[in-house]
Amino acid sequence: MKAKAAISDGHGEFYFDSITLGKPAPNEVLVQIKASGICHTDYDHMRHLKLFAVMGHEGAGVVLQTGKNVSTVKMGDRVLLNWAIPCGECFQCVRGAENICEDRPVIRPENRAHRGKPVNASFGLGTMATHAIVPEQAVVKIDVEIPFHSAAILGCGVMTGFGSV
Ligand SMILES: [Zn+2]
Ligand SMILES: [Zn+2]
């Protein structure tokens, strides 16, 4: 499917363009993004890291489609996106330190393309887009009443503040 996205050019600018998202592969989830936060790290990505990528790493939305083996969410679920994506199986994950996972899951590269070539996304998410394909471990089902624009910042801004405190 086609999606619209904000893409950093790696040289201090960004622009809006179409990206192509494939059908979710096993353990991948297609999310319709309803809200995205803007983080200072997005500014860093745009200006300092020479990163050509779909921007945004905090967001919330609705599951549109799931790949095989996805068991924690289903179509229609409201979810927030988490950039500290734990594999659940490495040494750090097994000992309960998922935040420093050593083998973060990524999507099949061809499932996110720009002008026919695979394109990166900020922290593997790319929430500044109408849609995103992410690993199943990157989505957390929202089971409380909270607006999307509030849920969107839980994945980075809120957790960074919590961690600092
Ligand atoms: Zn951030
Ligand atoms: Zn891990």
Side-chain angles (χ1 to χ4, degrees), residues 20 26 30 36 62 70 79 88-89 93-94 112 120 130 136 138 142 145 147:
T20 305
L30 173 65
S36 173
V62 175
V70 171
V79 292
E89 291 168 4
C93 281
V94 168
R112 186 193 313 105
N120 287 321
T130 56
E136 177 182 10
I142 300 171
E145 279 303 315

Side-chain angles (χ1 to χ4, degrees), residues 12-80:
E13 303 290 337
F14 73 94
Y15 56 93
F16 294 102
D17 204 355
S18 294
I19 55 173
T20 305
L21 302 175
K23 198 167 174 274
N27 304 108
E28 294 178 3
V29 177
L30 173 65
V31 179
Q32 180 182 17
I33 302 292
K34 295 287 193 181
S36 173
I38 300 175
C39 176
H40 192 274
T41 305
D42 295 309
Y43 179 76
D44 289 340
H45 278 181
M46 194 172 74
R47 301 190 63 83
H48 299 305
L49 299 181
K50 305 281 182 268
L51 185 66
F52 179 75
V54 178
M55 297 180 72
H57 56 274
E58 48 184 34
V62 175
V63 173
L64 279 191
Q65 205 176 1
T66 57
K68 277 188 187 149
N69 308 328
V70 171
S71 61
T72 57
V73 292
K74 61 181 188 320
M75 197 174 80
D77 280 350
R78 301 161 76 239
V79 292
L80 65 87

Side-chain angles (χ1 to χ4, degrees), residues 78-165:
R78 301 161 76 239
V79 292
L80 65 87
L81 280 71
N82 158 43
W83 61 256
I85 309 167
C87 74
E89 291 168 4
C90 73
F91 171 77
Q92 297 295 359
C93 281
V94 168
R95 76 183 190 96
E98 295 96 336
N99 59 317
I100 49 173
C101 172
E102 294 174 340
D103 188 23
R104 295 199 186 288
V106 293
I107 65 161
R108 227 170 33 159
E110 60 271 30
N111 257 354
R112 186 193 313 105
H114 176 254
R115 297 181 186 171
K117 290 184 186 158
V119 61
N120 287 321
S122 177
F123 288 89
L125 298 181
T127 57
M128 291 188 199
T130 56
H131 300 78
I133 287 195
V134 297
E136 177 182 10
Q137 298 95 324
V139 296
V140 177
K141 187 176 171 183
I142 300 171
D143 54 9
V144 295
E145 279 303 315
I146 182 172
F148 285 115
H149 62 264
S150 300
I153 62 168
L154 285 169
C156 187
V158 171
M159 294 314 293
T160 301
F162 178 81
S164 299
V165 169

